[in-house]
Amino acid sequence: MSHRSFPTITTLGSHSALQILRGAHDEDLPNLVIAPRGKDGLYRRYPFVDEVLSIERYGDFPRLEEDLSSRGAVMVPHGSFVAYLGEEVNARMRVGYYGNREVLRWEGSRDLQRRWLSAADIPQPREYTDLAAIDAWPVLVKTFGAAGGSGYFLARSSEQLAQELAARGLDQGPRRYTVQQYVLGVTLYIHYFQSVLRDRLEILSMDRRYETNVDGLGRLPQQVQAEIQPQPSYVVVGNSELVLRESMLEEAYQMGERVVAASKALVSPRGLWGPFCLETLITPDLRFHVIEISCRIVAGTNLFVAGSPYAAFFFDEPMSTGRRIAREIREAYQAGRLDEIVG
Ligand code: AMP
Ligand code: AMP
């Protein structure tokens, strides 16, 4: 079969692009990356990248769309797509797009996410709309539009909460933050893949995030902490591996299945497919608390370019999430079913 006739796996140069491009290469699909000048050099370093398209800035992307469409490109979105292109450009993109675009609106709104997860019977931290009703401290304040955990802060009491809100100018005008129960537990991010072609949900890998300075605080003796009273911050710097107790794995699957089922009822009949991630915190009673859902490949999967302990239960060769996406696209193309997964 000629290589040319296959769809070209296309993505933006950032986040998990290398994994996506490498996955396309491993599945024998052509690949292409679009990167702004200055960031494009990275992608030219690697021989598995077939083509690098340089643009001046991300705002120029819509001008490429016609050319990409005529070449049969399939865009694979990742965590930077909304940040760099905006929700509007994503939703209206004329190039083939892997995933259900109707999910974007649900993913982009904290309120809709909560509704979706509640419909799927997924435990979530309590959220307080009435600040006077907070009955368990500390709470975590999440400002809207905060990316990668920056801009969050912890409050220990109602006085401190009021002070911190005022210090940030958040006490004026319409509310630009949410206040959540602080869940004291271990973070675990579960990387799922819902396959349309094989009609099954796979857990491909898991990670935990490494955040500064919250993951460093435990290295200070308690007396020092008491003296300097550090304010924890949640800025992500990287990801590390973790395998889950096997006794909790079935619940992890069932949560993922409930999320997919709920998406079919709420979002659109075809629901959610492809990679998604539930960001969880696990408490000492071994319960999951879900803080967020990402409906695309997450950066934590970059740990598993060469495969993972979980992917090995489904595949005989190393299978990253990037490669899994490419395989699904290849299988759909070969079965004449591309339109079922690319919109
Ligand atoms: P970057 O390409 O590193 O500038 O990242 C683009 C966006 O993706 C940032 O706004 C981050 O919020 C998000 N991001 C990047 N790396 C990670 C990560 N390891 N974990 C979570 N989010 C990430
Ligand atoms: P998020 O932006 O929702 O992915 O959260 C960023 C980080 O903040 C997480 O990785 C956690 O470390 C922390 N976090 C978020 N929500 C909570 C919560 N309700 N309780 C405790 N920590 C949280």
mmCIF file with all atom_site columns, all heavy atoms in Angstrom, residues 258-276:
data_model
loop_
_atom_site.group_PDB
_atom_site.id
_atom_site.type_symbol
_atom_site.label_atom_id
_atom_site.label_alt_id
_atom_site.label_comp_id
_atom_site.label_asym_id
_atom_site.label_entity_id
_atom_site.label_seq_id
_atom_site.pdbx_PDB_ins_code
_atom_site.Cartn_x
_atom_site.Cartn_y
_atom_site.Cartn_z
_atom_site.occupancy
_atom_site.B_iso_or_equiv
_atom_site.pdbx_formal_charge
_atom_site.auth_seq_id
_atom_site.auth_comp_id
_atom_site.auth_asym_id
_atom_site.auth_atom_id
_atom_site.pdbx_PDB_model_num
ATOM 1   N N   . ARG A 1 258 ? -17.900 4.912  32.974 1.00 0.00 ? 258 ARG A N   1
ATOM 2   C CA  . ARG A 1 258 ? -19.062 5.751  33.324 1.00 0.00 ? 258 ARG A CA  1
ATOM 3   C C   . ARG A 1 258 ? -18.952 7.132  32.677 1.00 0.00 ? 258 ARG A C   1
ATOM 4   O O   . ARG A 1 258 ? -19.943 7.716  32.251 1.00 0.00 ? 258 ARG A O   1
ATOM 5   C CB  . ARG A 1 258 ? -19.195 5.881  34.850 1.00 0.00 ? 258 ARG A CB  1
ATOM 6   C CG  . ARG A 1 258 ? -19.522 4.560  35.537 1.00 0.00 ? 258 ARG A CG  1
ATOM 7   C CD  . ARG A 1 258 ? -20.158 4.786  36.918 1.00 0.00 ? 258 ARG A CD  1
ATOM 8   N NE  . ARG A 1 258 ? -19.329 5.536  37.851 1.00 0.00 ? 258 ARG A NE  1
ATOM 9   C CZ  . ARG A 1 258 ? -18.438 4.994  38.690 1.00 0.00 ? 258 ARG A CZ  1
ATOM 10  N NH1 . ARG A 1 258 ? -18.254 3.693  38.717 1.00 0.00 ? 258 ARG A NH1 1
ATOM 11  N NH2 . ARG A 1 258 ? -17.755 5.753  39.523 1.00 0.00 ? 258 ARG A NH2 1
ATOM 12  N N   . VAL A 1 259 ? -17.728 7.651  32.602 1.00 0.00 ? 259 VAL A N   1
ATOM 13  C CA  . VAL A 1 259 ? -17.519 8.958  31.971 1.00 0.00 ? 259 VAL A CA  1
ATOM 14  C C   . VAL A 1 259 ? -17.876 8.887  30.482 1.00 0.00 ? 259 VAL A C   1
ATOM 15  O O   . VAL A 1 259 ? -18.542 9.779  29.937 1.00 0.00 ? 259 VAL A O   1
ATOM 16  C CB  . VAL A 1 259 ? -16.049 9.419  32.168 1.00 0.00 ? 259 VAL A CB  1
ATOM 17  C CG1 . VAL A 1 259 ? -15.677 10.535 31.213 1.00 0.00 ? 259 VAL A CG1 1
ATOM 18  C CG2 . VAL A 1 259 ? -15.837 9.878  33.600 1.00 0.00 ? 259 VAL A CG2 1
ATOM 19  N N   . VAL A 1 260 ? -17.466 7.801  29.829 1.00 0.00 ? 260 VAL A N   1
ATOM 20  C CA  . VAL A 1 260 ? -17.784 7.636  28.401 1.00 0.00 ? 260 VAL A CA  1
ATOM 21  C C   . VAL A 1 260 ? -19.303 7.493  28.223 1.00 0.00 ? 260 VAL A C   1
ATOM 22  O O   . VAL A 1 260 ? -19.908 8.146  27.359 1.00 0.00 ? 260 VAL A O   1
ATOM 23  C CB  . VAL A 1 260 ? -17.033 6.423  27.807 1.00 0.00 ? 260 VAL A CB  1
ATOM 24  C CG1 . VAL A 1 260 ? -17.511 6.128  26.385 1.00 0.00 ? 260 VAL A CG1 1
ATOM 25  C CG2 . VAL A 1 260 ? -15.523 6.676  27.817 1.00 0.00 ? 260 VAL A CG2 1
ATOM 26  N N   . ALA A 1 261 ? -19.930 6.671  29.069 1.00 0.00 ? 261 ALA A N   1
ATOM 27  C CA  . ALA A 1 261 ? -21.384 6.470  28.954 1.00 0.00 ? 261 ALA A CA  1
ATOM 28  C C   . ALA A 1 261 ? -22.115 7.797  29.173 1.00 0.00 ? 261 ALA A C   1
ATOM 29  O O   . ALA A 1 261 ? -23.038 8.142  28.422 1.00 0.00 ? 261 ALA A O   1
ATOM 30  C CB  . ALA A 1 261 ? -21.853 5.419  29.966 1.00 0.00 ? 261 ALA A CB  1
ATOM 31  N N   . ALA A 1 262 ? -21.689 8.567  30.180 1.00 0.00 ? 262 ALA A N   1
ATOM 32  C CA  . ALA A 1 262 ? -22.366 9.842  30.463 1.00 0.00 ? 262 ALA A CA  1
ATOM 33  C C   . ALA A 1 262 ? -22.182 10.818 29.307 1.00 0.00 ? 262 ALA A C   1
ATOM 34  O O   . ALA A 1 262 ? -23.078 11.618 29.008 1.00 0.00 ? 262 ALA A O   1
ATOM 35  C CB  . ALA A 1 262 ? -21.837 10.449 31.759 1.00 0.00 ? 262 ALA A CB  1
ATOM 36  N N   . SER A 1 263 ? -21.034 10.760 28.630 1.00 0.00 ? 263 SER A N   1
ATOM 37  C CA  . SER A 1 263 ? -20.804 11.691 27.516 1.00 0.00 ? 263 SER A CA  1
ATOM 38  C C   . SER A 1 263 ? -21.787 11.415 26.379 1.00 0.00 ? 263 SER A C   1
ATOM 39  O O   . SER A 1 263 ? -22.176 12.324 25.657 1.00 0.00 ? 263 SER A O   1
ATOM 40  C CB  . SER A 1 263 ? -19.358 11.597 27.021 1.00 0.00 ? 263 SER A CB  1
ATOM 41  O OG  . SER A 1 263 ? -19.148 10.403 26.289 1.00 0.00 ? 263 SER A OG  1
ATOM 42  N N   . LYS A 1 264 ? -22.191 10.161 26.238 1.00 0.00 ? 264 LYS A N   1
ATOM 43  C CA  . LYS A 1 264 ? -23.141 9.827  25.158 1.00 0.00 ? 264 LYS A CA  1
ATOM 44  C C   . LYS A 1 264 ? -24.524 10.381 25.466 1.00 0.00 ? 264 LYS A C   1
ATOM 45  O O   . LYS A 1 264 ? -25.283 10.718 24.565 1.00 0.00 ? 264 LYS A O   1
ATOM 46  C CB  . LYS A 1 264 ? -23.196 8.312  24.955 1.00 0.00 ? 264 LYS A CB  1
ATOM 47  C CG  . LYS A 1 264 ? -21.891 7.795  24.373 1.00 0.00 ? 264 LYS A CG  1
ATOM 48  C CD  . LYS A 1 264 ? -21.893 6.305  24.137 1.00 0.00 ? 264 LYS A CD  1
ATOM 49  C CE  . LYS A 1 264 ? -20.540 5.927  23.513 1.00 0.00 ? 264 LYS A CE  1
ATOM 50  N NZ  . LYS A 1 264 ? -20.279 4.502  23.533 1.00 0.00 ? 264 LYS A NZ  1
ATOM 51  N N   . ALA A 1 265 ? -24.847 10.462 26.746 1.00 0.00 ? 265 ALA A N   1
ATOM 52  C CA  . ALA A 1 265 ? -26.149 11.004 27.132 1.00 0.00 ? 265 ALA A CA  1
ATOM 53  C C   . ALA A 1 265 ? -26.138 12.527 27.127 1.00 0.00 ? 265 ALA A C   1
ATOM 54  O O   . ALA A 1 265 ? -27.116 13.166 26.764 1.00 0.00 ? 265 ALA A O   1
ATOM 55  C CB  . ALA A 1 265 ? -26.531 10.478 28.521 1.00 0.00 ? 265 ALA A CB  1
ATOM 56  N N   . LEU A 1 266 ? -25.001 13.129 27.520 1.00 0.00 ? 266 LEU A N   1
ATOM 57  C CA  . LEU A 1 266 ? -24.970 14.580 27.739 1.00 0.00 ? 266 LEU A CA  1
ATOM 58  C C   . LEU A 1 266 ? -24.399 15.374 26.572 1.00 0.00 ? 266 LEU A C   1
ATOM 59  O O   . LEU A 1 266 ? -24.916 16.416 26.210 1.00 0.00 ? 266 LEU A O   1
ATOM 60  C CB  . LEU A 1 266 ? -24.094 14.897 28.961 1.00 0.00 ? 266 LEU A CB  1
ATOM 61  C CG  . LEU A 1 266 ? -24.636 14.657 30.344 1.00 0.00 ? 266 LEU A CG  1
ATOM 62  C CD1 . LEU A 1 266 ? -23.556 14.967 31.375 1.00 0.00 ? 266 LEU A CD1 1
ATOM 63  C CD2 . LEU A 1 266 ? -25.854 15.527 30.612 1.00 0.00 ? 266 LEU A CD2 1
ATOM 64  N N   . VAL A 1 267 ? -23.295 14.902 26.022 1.00 0.00 ? 267 VAL A N   1
ATOM 65  C CA  . VAL A 1 267 ? -22.539 15.712 25.065 1.00 0.00 ? 267 VAL A CA  1
ATOM 66  C C   . VAL A 1 267 ? -23.065 15.523 23.646 1.00 0.00 ? 267 VAL A C   1
ATOM 67  O O   . VAL A 1 267 ? -23.434 16.489 22.978 1.00 0.00 ? 267 VAL A O   1
ATOM 68  C CB  . VAL A 1 267 ? -21.027 15.375 25.141 1.00 0.00 ? 267 VAL A CB  1
ATOM 69  C CG1 . VAL A 1 267 ? -20.230 16.177 24.124 1.00 0.00 ? 267 VAL A CG1 1
ATOM 70  C CG2 . VAL A 1 267 ? -20.489 15.624 26.547 1.00 0.00 ? 267 VAL A CG2 1
ATOM 71  N N   . SER A 1 268 ? -23.066 14.291 23.189 1.00 0.00 ? 268 SER A N   1
ATOM 72  C CA  . SER A 1 268 ? -23.614 13.962 21.870 1.00 0.00 ? 268 SER A CA  1
ATOM 73  C C   . SER A 1 268 ? -23.677 12.443 21.780 1.00 0.00 ? 268 SER A C   1
ATOM 74  O O   . SER A 1 268 ? -22.936 11.757 22.484 1.00 0.00 ? 268 SER A O   1
ATOM 75  C CB  . SER A 1 268 ? -22.755 14.550 20.750 1.00 0.00 ? 268 SER A CB  1
ATOM 76  O OG  . SER A 1 268 ? -21.644 13.720 20.497 1.00 0.00 ? 268 SER A OG  1
ATOM 77  N N   . PRO A 1 269 ? -24.534 11.900 20.919 1.00 0.00 ? 269 PRO A N   1
ATOM 78  C CA  . PRO A 1 269 ? -24.736 10.448 20.906 1.00 0.00 ? 269 PRO A CA  1
ATOM 79  C C   . PRO A 1 269 ? -23.453 9.635  20.705 1.00 0.00 ? 269 PRO A C   1
ATOM 80  O O   . PRO A 1 269 ? -23.325 8.542  21.231 1.00 0.00 ? 269 PRO A O   1
ATOM 81  C CB  . PRO A 1 269 ? -25.701 10.230 19.737 1.00 0.00 ? 269 PRO A CB  1
ATOM 82  C CG  . PRO A 1 269 ? -26.412 11.538 19.595 1.00 0.00 ? 269 PRO A CG  1
ATOM 83  C CD  . PRO A 1 269 ? -25.450 12.604 20.001 1.00 0.00 ? 269 PRO A CD  1
ATOM 84  N N   . ARG A 1 270 ? -22.490 10.203 19.971 1.00 0.00 ? 270 ARG A N   1
ATOM 85  C CA  . ARG A 1 270 ? -21.252 9.438  19.773 1.00 0.00 ? 270 ARG A CA  1
ATOM 86  C C   . ARG A 1 270 ? -20.310 9.573  20.968 1.00 0.00 ? 270 ARG A C   1
ATOM 87  O O   . ARG A 1 270 ? -19.354 8.814  21.111 1.00 0.00 ? 270 ARG A O   1
ATOM 88  C CB  . ARG A 1 270 ? -20.542 9.889  18.492 1.00 0.00 ? 270 ARG A CB  1
ATOM 89  C CG  . ARG A 1 270 ? -21.347 9.491  17.255 1.00 0.00 ? 270 ARG A CG  1
ATOM 90  C CD  . ARG A 1 270 ? -20.482 9.519  16.015 1.00 0.00 ? 270 ARG A CD  1
ATOM 91  N NE  . ARG A 1 270 ? -20.059 10.867 15.694 1.00 0.00 ? 270 ARG A NE  1
ATOM 92  C CZ  . ARG A 1 270 ? -19.037 11.156 14.899 1.00 0.00 ? 270 ARG A CZ  1
ATOM 93  N NH1 . ARG A 1 270 ? -18.315 10.180 14.376 1.00 0.00 ? 270 ARG A NH1 1
ATOM 94  N NH2 . ARG A 1 270 ? -18.725 12.399 14.626 1.00 0.00 ? 270 ARG A NH2 1
ATOM 95  N N   . GLY A 1 271 ? -20.553 10.567 21.790 1.00 0.00 ? 271 GLY A N   1
ATOM 96  C CA  . GLY A 1 271 ? -19.805 10.705 23.042 1.00 0.00 ? 271 GLY A CA  1
ATOM 97  C C   . GLY A 1 271 ? -18.332 11.006 22.859 1.00 0.00 ? 271 GLY A C   1
ATOM 98  O O   . GLY A 1 271 ? -17.905 11.560 21.842 1.00 0.00 ? 271 GLY A O   1
ATOM 99  N N   . LEU A 1 272 ? -17.578 10.614 23.873 1.00 0.00 ? 272 LEU A N   1
ATOM 100 C CA  . LEU A 1 272 ? -16.138 10.885 23.948 1.00 0.00 ? 272 LEU A CA  1
ATOM 101 C C   . LEU A 1 272 ? -15.379 9.689  23.386 1.00 0.00 ? 272 LEU A C   1
ATOM 102 O O   . LEU A 1 272 ? -15.703 8.560  23.712 1.00 0.00 ? 272 LEU A O   1
ATOM 103 C CB  . LEU A 1 272 ? -15.794 11.078 25.426 1.00 0.00 ? 272 LEU A CB  1
ATOM 104 C CG  . LEU A 1 272 ? -14.339 11.125 25.872 1.00 0.00 ? 272 LEU A CG  1
ATOM 105 C CD1 . LEU A 1 272 ? -13.669 12.393 25.376 1.00 0.00 ? 272 LEU A CD1 1
ATOM 106 C CD2 . LEU A 1 272 ? -14.254 11.052 27.398 1.00 0.00 ? 272 LEU A CD2 1
ATOM 107 N N   . TRP A 1 273 ? -14.368 9.950  22.542 1.00 0.00 ? 273 TRP A N   1
ATOM 108 C CA  . TRP A 1 273 ? -13.483 8.860  22.130 1.00 0.00 ? 273 TRP A CA  1
ATOM 109 C C   . TRP A 1 273 ? -12.050 9.357  22.051 1.00 0.00 ? 273 TRP A C   1
ATOM 110 O O   . TRP A 1 273 ? -11.799 10.558 22.099 1.00 0.00 ? 273 TRP A O   1
ATOM 111 C CB  . TRP A 1 273 ? -13.940 8.245  20.804 1.00 0.00 ? 273 TRP A CB  1
ATOM 112 C CG  . TRP A 1 273 ? -13.787 9.120  19.601 1.00 0.00 ? 273 TRP A CG  1
ATOM 113 C CD1 . TRP A 1 273 ? -12.654 9.295  18.854 1.00 0.00 ? 273 TRP A CD1 1
ATOM 114 C CD2 . TRP A 1 273 ? -14.801 9.927  18.987 1.00 0.00 ? 273 TRP A CD2 1
ATOM 115 N NE1 . TRP A 1 273 ? -12.894 10.165 17.828 1.00 0.00 ? 273 TRP A NE1 1
ATOM 116 C CE2 . TRP A 1 273 ? -14.209 10.564 17.872 1.00 0.00 ? 273 TRP A CE2 1
ATOM 117 C CE3 . TRP A 1 273 ? -16.147 10.178 19.263 1.00 0.00 ? 273 TRP A CE3 1
ATOM 118 C CZ2 . TRP A 1 273 ? -14.910 11.438 17.045 1.00 0.00 ? 273 TRP A CZ2 1
ATOM 119 C CZ3 . TRP A 1 273 ? -16.849 11.045 18.435 1.00 0.00 ? 273 TRP A CZ3 1
ATOM 120 C CH2 . TRP A 1 273 ? -16.236 11.662 17.345 1.00 0.00 ? 273 TRP A CH2 1
ATOM 121 N N   . GLY A 1 274 ? -11.125 8.404  21.933 1.00 0.00 ? 274 GLY A N   1
ATOM 122 C CA  . GLY A 1 274 ? -9.702  8.755  21.886 1.00 0.00 ? 274 GLY A CA  1
ATOM 123 C C   . GLY A 1 274 ? -9.143  8.881  23.291 1.00 0.00 ? 274 GLY A C   1
ATOM 124 O O   . GLY A 1 274 ? -9.717  8.354  24.254 1.00 0.00 ? 274 GLY A O   1
ATOM 125 N N   . PRO A 1 275 ? -8.008  9.581  23.448 1.00 0.00 ? 275 PRO A N   1
ATOM 126 C CA  . PRO A 1 275 ? -7.384  9.663  24.760 1.00 0.00 ? 275 PRO A CA  1
ATOM 127 C C   . PRO A 1 275 ? -8.099  10.649 25.668 1.00 0.00 ? 275 PRO A C   1
ATOM 128 O O   . PRO A 1 275 ? -8.565  11.691 25.214 1.00 0.00 ? 275 PRO A O   1
ATOM 129 C CB  . PRO A 1 275 ? -5.970  10.179 24.437 1.00 0.00 ? 275 PRO A CB  1
ATOM 130 C CG  . PRO A 1 275 ? -6.108  10.915 23.160 1.00 0.00 ? 275 PRO A CG  1
ATOM 131 C CD  . PRO A 1 275 ? -7.246  10.293 22.399 1.00 0.00 ? 275 PRO A CD  1
ATOM 132 N N   . PHE A 1 276 ? -8.199  10.308 26.931 1.00 0.00 ? 276 PHE A N   1
ATOM 133 C CA  . PHE A 1 276 ? -8.660  11.268 27.930 1.00 0.00 ? 276 PHE A CA  1
ATOM 134 C C   . PHE A 1 276 ? -8.015  10.916 29.259 1.00 0.00 ? 276 PHE A C   1
ATOM 135 O O   . PHE A 1 276 ? -7.426  9.836  29.404 1.00 0.00 ? 276 PHE A O   1
ATOM 136 C CB  . PHE A 1 276 ? -10.195 11.332 28.010 1.00 0.00 ? 276 PHE A CB  1
ATOM 137 C CG  . PHE A 1 276 ? -10.886 10.104 28.553 1.00 0.00 ? 276 PHE A CG  1
ATOM 138 C CD1 . PHE A 1 276 ? -11.293 10.029 29.877 1.00 0.00 ? 276 PHE A CD1 1
ATOM 139 C CD2 . PHE A 1 276 ? -11.172 9.024  27.723 1.00 0.00 ? 276 PHE A CD2 1
ATOM 140 C CE1 . PHE A 1 276 ? -11.955 8.904  30.374 1.00 0.00 ? 276 PHE A CE1 1
ATOM 141 C CE2 . PHE A 1 276 ? -11.833 7.887  28.209 1.00 0.00 ? 276 PHE A CE2 1
ATOM 142 C CZ  . PHE A 1 276 ? -12.223 7.835  29.538 1.00 0.00 ? 276 PHE A CZ  1
#
